[in-house]
Amino acid sequence: MNLRAVRGTRDIFGPEMLAWHRAESVFREVTNSFAYEEFRTPLFESTDLFKRGVGEETDIVGKEMYTFEDRGGDSLTLRPEMTAPIVRAMIEHNILRHHPLTRLWYAGPQFRYERPQKGRYRQFHQFGAECIGSEHPESDAEIILLANEVLRRFGLTNIRLELNSLGSSEVRASYRSALVEYLRLHINKLTPDSQRRIDSNPLRVLDSKEPQDIAVVAGAPLLHSFLDDASATHFAAVRALLDVVGVPYVVNPLLVRGLDYYNHTVFEFTTTSLGTQNAVGGGGRYDPLFAMLGGGNVPAVGFSLGIDRMILLLEAEQGCWSEKPIDGVYICAIGEAARLPVNAIALRLRRNSIHVVTDLLRRSMKAQLKEANRERVVWTIMIGDDELANGTAVVKNMESGEQLTVPQYQLESIIA
Ligand code: AMP
């Protein structure tokens, strides 16, 4: 039997794991500095949530969901994204009653049945944040700056911020009609996918990477000319807030993002280092979503970043993974008699939060010292018959090679 991880899923371990830990500590640091609190939702939800919250005509709901019936006959779906679950939870717990402005973040696996390739998986991971309750451009800017800060602090440099405004829901609707009218005139020049989208999700045609579609889109009416005064003012204010802190961006009038619930600001972080999977993350304002899920009129804005892609990008930019940091001690028991007492010393040091490696293979002293080198420890502690008799230990600094004999009770203070 050839047991392997399911297509589109992968194991994460070894040096790559260090990069994940770094990413996770950046998420915590940055969200804490922006006063966002962590929120965790279940990995699966009722299928209806995504049908209503993401939209039946989107690729996510139409083609990519992991949907199954459980033993009780309920239709469940592994979450393909986090915004709908978060909004569901906000409504369910009536959180906004006590916190009319709620800032929260999440990180975790998402599931989409996509064609796997480098940077595109069926189980992937997203980090994101939502700012719920404010309609003002300051909240759009805060969310963009938070995402930008995470990417920079993680160490990524080849990233471009693209920005656009879809205007109010009314603006979007009237633009949509104009676009449909234009696309119908050129329907024969579009790819079959785009032809289908004219009715289901015409704005997505603007996103197409197919040369045929790009040629048609080049002559399409632009959203900008449809923006009303209030929408234009909102967008100008978001840009001014980015300008004042010197965060660079480019306005991309074709950026629409695929989901139905966006209005006003949409944005995306893109890179040229990951081939065709050039989106590292994105987001936008989604004022209509609460109402779509029965939660009344609540403005909100958020983003999500693909953690797997952040990690791939870091590897591409650095050229390799960082090595495991040098840390802690290796305790080497020399001879039979020392095997038992070194375990007591190991536990004492561990209770002082010291990283301790011991030998579990009953290896020779020479083999243990070799292992200590591989383990990248700062110190090796050696205990044999003489040290047992005197209550001492030989401590070797692995970098300088310097060696000294110390009382066992002083080990913590020397190592710390
Ligand atoms: P989306 O929710 O589609 O806007 O995706 C937000 C981010 O999640 C993207 O920019 C990607 O970085 C990441 N992402 C989306 N789908 C996948 C996938 N199948 N595999 C890996 N990362 C993904």
Side-chain angles (χ1 to χ4, degrees), residues 125-259:
H125 302 76
Q126 284 184 337
F127 159 76
E130 316 286 352
C131 180
I132 298 161
S134 167
E135 61 182 351
H136 298 297
E138 291 86 336
S139 56
D140 306 48
E142 181 172 283
I143 274 292
I144 295 172
L145 292 177
L146 199 173
N148 183 65
E149 203 56 27
V150 163
L151 294 169
R152 310 284 148 187
R153 217 168 306 170
F154 187 52
L156 300 175
T157 52
N158 181 11
I159 292 206
R160 183 163 116 134
L161 168 58
E162 298 182 17
L163 207 59
N164 194 21
S165 171
L166 304 176
S168 63
S169 301
E170 296 74 45
V171 166
R172 194 181 146 146
S174 60
Y175 173 68
R176 187 186 153 117
S177 323
L179 181 65
V180 166
E181 199 178 313
Y182 169 83
L183 293 175
R184 287 233 171 87
L185 288 177
H186 301 274
I187 189 160
N188 295 330
K189 291 183 236 155
L190 292 168
T191 58
D193 264 351
S194 288
Q195 291 182 2
R196 262 196 307 279
R197 286 186 176 130
I198 293 182
D199 291 315
S200 61
N201 200 350
L203 269 62
R204 274 295 303 282
V205 177
L206 303 179
D207 264 347
S208 171
K209 307 277 185 286
E210 299 295 330
Q212 242 175 296
D213 297 331
I214 291 173
V216 174
V217 164
L222 283 179
L223 228 162
H224 275 205
S225 45
F226 284 73
L227 289 189
D228 56 18
D229 285 350
S231 301
T233 306
H234 184 99
F235 191 39
V238 173
R239 295 196 318 264
L241 286 156
L242 298 178
D243 292 337
V244 80
V245 290
V247 166
Y249 57 85
V250 288
V251 174
N252 173 0
L254 298 181
L255 176 68
V256 291
R257 297 195 44 83
L259 307 184

